[in-house]
Amino acid sequence: NAGVTQTPKFQVLKTGQSMTLQCAQDMNHNSMYWYRQDPGMGLRLIYYSASEGTTDKGEVPNGYNVSRLNKREFSLRLESAAPSQTSVYFCAVDRDNNSPLHFGNGTRLTVT
Amino acid sequence: GENVEQHPSTLSVQEGDSAVIKCTYSDSASNYFPWYKQELGKRPQLIIDIRSNVGEKKDQRIAVTLNKTAKHFSLHITETQPEDSAVYFCAASKSSASKIIFGSGTRLSIRP
């Protein structure tokens, strides 16, 4: 029972390259989220998915796209990476509105 | 949209003393207020939460208070111990929307 699994754990990209961050859960929860964490900025919501087949923008969606492939998986794509996207990315899930978030271990992304 | 402000950004207390972290929120419809603890290099984890129908909640050395009129809530840690050193985040959400918005975090250090 892994909970929330993120891959990869670390990634280095050059400016302009693309990549997809993967998130999978075995908790059978409906809602999934992508956050980025930068020093002094806390956790900022990029995109979220309240249920399979739906996605919505969060606080900082520019430069990202998401796909809710099925109930288990929610991926985050950077089409053309920029140094400003250097950050730690966390995927999280919760059962429904107003319930605790369960986080993955994070992906540390560096864009040079 | 919801905005959550958190103070202070850093806090240093003597071991055994109490620590208080404060947050304010902007959306009067918010009704769920969780607190997360993040140790260095780890994922955030829920430590306590409170819903808007309750004014105070305690769990051993941790307590959270909520003032709906003033739109602020606080985390209180008593008899602090070295293992309490971490970054603490407050958050707010409402049952009509899946968005969970975080404060910018407080780095708590416990002095021996």
Side-chain angles (χ1 to χ4, degrees):
Chain A
N1 189 342
V4 182
T5 303
Q6 289 183 238
T7 56
K9 293 182 180 179
F10 302 94
Q11 184 72 47
V12 179
L13 294 177
K14 294 187 189 307
T15 297
Q17 287 185 316
S18 62
M19 79 159 295
T20 300
L21 282 65
Q22 306 285 356
C23 176
Q25 54 129 343
D26 61 5
M27 305 179 75
N28 200 36
H29 283 353
N30 290 317
S31 300
M32 300 186 72
Y33 306 80
W34 278 105
Y35 287 91
R36 61 176 288 173
Q37 184 173 30
D38 304 295
M41 302 288 287
L43 292 152
R44 291 185 292 169
L45 182 62
I46 305 171
Y47 270 94
Y48 66 100
S49 170
S51 61
E52 184 180 350
T54 68
T55 61
D56 284 289
K57 295 179 180 180
E59 301 169 274
V60 288
N62 291 345
Y64 305 94
N65 286 300
V66 290
S67 295
R68 181 74 182 267
L69 304 171
N70 46 55
K71 189 170 185 178
R72 290 189 65 246
E73 298 170 291
F74 188 37
S75 61
L76 179 71
R77 182 157 179 85
L78 288 69
E79 290 291 350
S80 179
S84 61
Q85 294 178 305
T86 293
S87 189
V88 178
Y89 291 85
F90 284 100
C91 176
V93 306
D94 66 14
R95 184 183 66 245
D96 50 33
N97 293 352
N98 290 1
S99 61
L101 283 172
H102 301 272
F103 286 86
N105 283 327
T107 295
R108 186 173 295 275
L109 175 67
T110 301
V111 183
T112 61
Chain B
E2 175 66 278
N3 182 50
V4 178
E5 295 191 356
Q6 182 171 347
H7 301 279
S9 56
T10 60
L11 180 61
S12 178
V13 301
Q14 195 77 31
E15 183 177 349
D17 287 350
S18 296
V20 180
I21 302 170
K22 298 182 179 182
C23 290
T24 61
Y25 61 99
S26 61
D27 189 342
S28 57
S30 290
N31 55 5
Y32 177 61
F33 307 94
W35 287 87
Y36 291 83
K37 176 183 180 182
Q38 186 179 30
E39 297 175 349
L40 190 63
K42 302 276 184 72
R43 72 182 90 180
Q45 293 195 297
L46 180 81
I47 54 171
I48 194 167
D49 57 9
I50 192 168
R51 300 177 194 279
S52 59
N53 58 345
V54 176
E56 183 176 6
K57 183 177 178 180
K58 289 184 180 178
D59 183 2
Q60 299 182 339
R61 296 185 297 109
I62 299 172
V64 57
T65 58
L66 171 64
N67 184 326
K68 285 188 293 182
T69 303
K71 290 192 282 189
H72 66 69
F73 56 113
S74 301
L75 178 71
H76 304 252
I77 305 174
T78 59
E79 301 172 13
T80 53
Q81 300 170 3
E83 54 264 36
D84 295 330
S85 292
V87 178
Y88 291 80
F89 293 98
C90 62
S93 69
K94 55 189 178 184
S95 52
S96 61
S98 292
K99 281 187 183 183
I100 301 172
I101 303 300
F102 283 80
S104 55
T106 296
R107 182 174 298 279
L108 175 63
S109 300
I110 308 300
R111 303 191 303 272

